[in-house]
Amino acid sequence: MSILVFVENADGEVKKTSHEAISYAAALAEKLGEQEVIALSIGTEVNDDTLAALGKNGATKIVNVADEKLNQGVIQAYTTVITQVMEKTNATHLVLAKSSLGDPVAARVAIKANAALASNVVALPDLSEGFKVKRSIYTGKAFAWMSLSTEKKIIAIKKNAIEVKEDGSDVTVERLEVPLDENDFNVNITKTEKAEGDVLLPEADIVVSGGRGLKGPENWQMIEDLAKTLGAATGCSKPVSDMNWRPHHEHVGQTGVKVSPTLYIAIGISGAIQHLAGVNSSKYIIVINKDPEAPFFKAADYGIVGDAFEVVPKLTEAIKAS
Ligand SMILES: Cc1cc2nc3c(=O)[nH]c(=O)nc-3n(C[C@H](O)[C@H](O)[C@H](O)COP(=O)(O)OP(=O)(O)OC[C@H]3O[C@@H](n4cnc5c(N)ncnc54)[C@H](O)[C@@H]3O)c2cc1C
């Protein structure tokens, strides 16, 4: 018996959310007893050393379906690979990150493998009565508990909900062949355009975001200075991009990019519900706003009540000096 973990990558590196998924699977294996934790990497873009290091997160075995045709992330092909590897490895559970790739893949594997699927899971299951998982719902404003009664189960983990385990050790990587046919590539990605910038917003570990409180695009230098000092990506609220103060790919929120950094710094942003919907998976939120009644303070871990034009340059200087 095994727990299979689907590993996602970007730019040759394993995504943080997949480290979380493996850590979750390792803890689940301990709860269930006598389960192997097999990390499945698809494609050829991550090297063996990087894959082997997934043992530190608790994977006991790594398998790599190293077919170059799979490098583009075609959902149907991934579904075939994962379903077949589940069978080959006797996996009763599939754990993966809830993401733009994980969601459609998980739904399709659930149908093919006749498995129950719980998405946005934030904690290990309660096994006292069957298999009950806690999920985050309504963009993080409530929780729901769900019982999975099928033999096979799929668990999609919410970003930043699980601590990454790092005390394991490297394990060897095995190649696995999976037969694929033309039907698996009925849809092909013909072109991919990536947003430019030192740090890409959807993947960023730190995001510095500005709102209408900054008064105009000419004042964005201080946001960029702070972001550069922290190695962060820059974001903004919707009106800021609507007014063309900033490019649209920086717009964060319900109708924009959903971010899940370790640290989100919101400067001169009121904290409207539509903005919060895109940032409430952040691990820590710092709010800088001159209005102590700004709704964002209710969602913040730390807050500074003050004028951004005074606070932000001082903060940047203090970080540079530290
Ligand atoms: C269907 C729909 C979808 C939407 N989707 C999104 C979305 O995805 N993302 C999004 O962001 N919004 C979205 N919105 C808009 C959202 O409702 C808010 O209007 C928007 O988030 C407000 O942006 P803001 O906080 O930058 O501006 P404001 O609401 O104008 O707030 C500016 C803030 O800056 C503070 N401030 C002013 N001067 C200073 C200063 N000198 N120093 C410090 N603080 C200062 C003020 O106290 C205030 O809190 C959506 C709205 C709708 C109806």
Side-chain angles (χ1 to χ4, degrees):
M1 302 286 236
S2 70
I3 300 173
L4 188 69
V5 185
F6 166 46
V7 171
E8 285 188 54
N9 62 65
D11 302 324
E13 295 295 329
V14 170
K15 287 192 180 177
K16 178 174 172 258
T17 48
S18 293
H19 291 288
E20 291 168 357
I22 296 172
S23 306
Y24 181 95
L28 177 61
E30 216 172 296
K31 259 193 133 174
L32 293 171
E34 295 188 21
Q35 297 268 352
E36 240 188 326
V37 176
I38 303 175
L40 165 63
S41 171
I42 298 178
T44 59
E45 294 197 329
V46 184
N47 70 34
D48 279 6
D49 288 346
T50 305
L51 289 178
L54 295 175
K56 295 198 176 72
N57 304 136
T60 48
K61 189 169 157 182
I62 318 290
V63 294
N64 178 209
V65 179
D67 185 333
E68 276 193 10
K69 288 208 297 290
L70 292 163
N71 286 353
Q72 282 198 311
V74 175
I75 287 161
Q76 194 57 45
Y78 274 33
T79 304
T80 302
V81 170
I82 295 169
T83 311
Q84 292 201 30
V85 176
M86 271 186 92
E87 272 175 33
K88 280 179 202 260
T89 56
N90 276 330
T92 48
H93 299 72
L94 171 68
V95 178
L96 72 173
K98 178 182 163 46
S99 68
S100 54
L101 179 60
D103 283 348
V105 165
R108 285 165 175 79
V109 174
I111 299 292
K112 284 197 162 194
N114 198 18
L117 163 62
S119 187
N120 239 0
V121 172
V122 295
L124 282 170
D126 174 359
L127 302 178
S128 59
E129 284 173 69
F131 194 101
K132 208 156 86 178
V133 283
K134 184 178 177 186
R135 306 175 51 225
S136 167
I137 57 169
Y138 299 130
T139 61
K141 282 189 265 328
F143 294 110
W145 279 260
M146 186 172 164
S147 277
L148 309 189
S149 55
T150 48
E151 190 207 343
K152 288 188 182 156
K153 299 170 182 70
I154 301 179
I155 300 159
I157 306 294
K158 182 181 160 114
K159 289 178 187 173
N160 278 328
I162 305 297
E163 282 295 317
V164 174
K165 171 182 154 74
E166 280 170 348
D167 57 357
S169 54
D170 287 13
V171 283
T172 51
V173 181
E174 288 177 22
R175 299 269 176 266
L176 204 65
E177 297 272 329
V178 171
L180 293 160
D181 62 33
E182 277 176 21
N183 290 335
D184 293 312
F185 295 94
N186 276 344
V187 174
N188 253 318
I189 297 162
T190 51
K191 192 175 172 198
T192 308
E193 276 182 28
K194 283 193 175 173
E196 286 173 13
D198 290 345
V199 187
L200 293 179
L201 187 55
E203 302 297 329
D205 195 46
I206 304 176
V207 175
V208 178
S209 216
R212 199 148 49 179
L214 287 166
K215 318 289 183 220
E218 67 282 4
N219 296 322
W220 235 263
Q221 191 59 47
M222 69 179 185
I223 299 288
E224 280 169 1
D225 285 349
L226 178 56
K228 201 159 188 176
T229 307
L230 290 167
T234 50
C236 67
S237 64
K238 183 172 184 293
V240 163
S241 62
D242 286 349
M243 292 183 292
N244 286 325
W245 294 1
R246 297 297 291 177
H248 277 281
H249 65 74
E250 286 196 3
H251 151 205
V252 169
Q254 182 185 324
T255 49
V257 181
K258 299 204 173 32
V259 295
S260 49
T262 303
L263 177 62
Y264 187 77
I265 305 179
I267 303 165
I269 304 178
S270 57
I273 196 162
Q274 297 89 353
H275 188 83
L276 293 178
V279 308
N280 60 15
S281 290
S282 307
K283 193 159 188 184
Y284 300 107
I285 294 177
I286 296 178
V287 167
I288 302 169
N289 197 303
K290 70 175 186 184
D291 174 8
E293 301 298 322
F296 222 144
F297 283 119
K298 291 203 181 85
D301 296 283
Y302 302 95
I304 300 172
V305 178
D307 187 330
F309 296 94
E310 286 173 26
V311 174
V312 176
K314 281 187 190 156
L315 188 61
T316 307
E317 281 316 307
I319 296 167
K320 277 185 187 159
S322 67

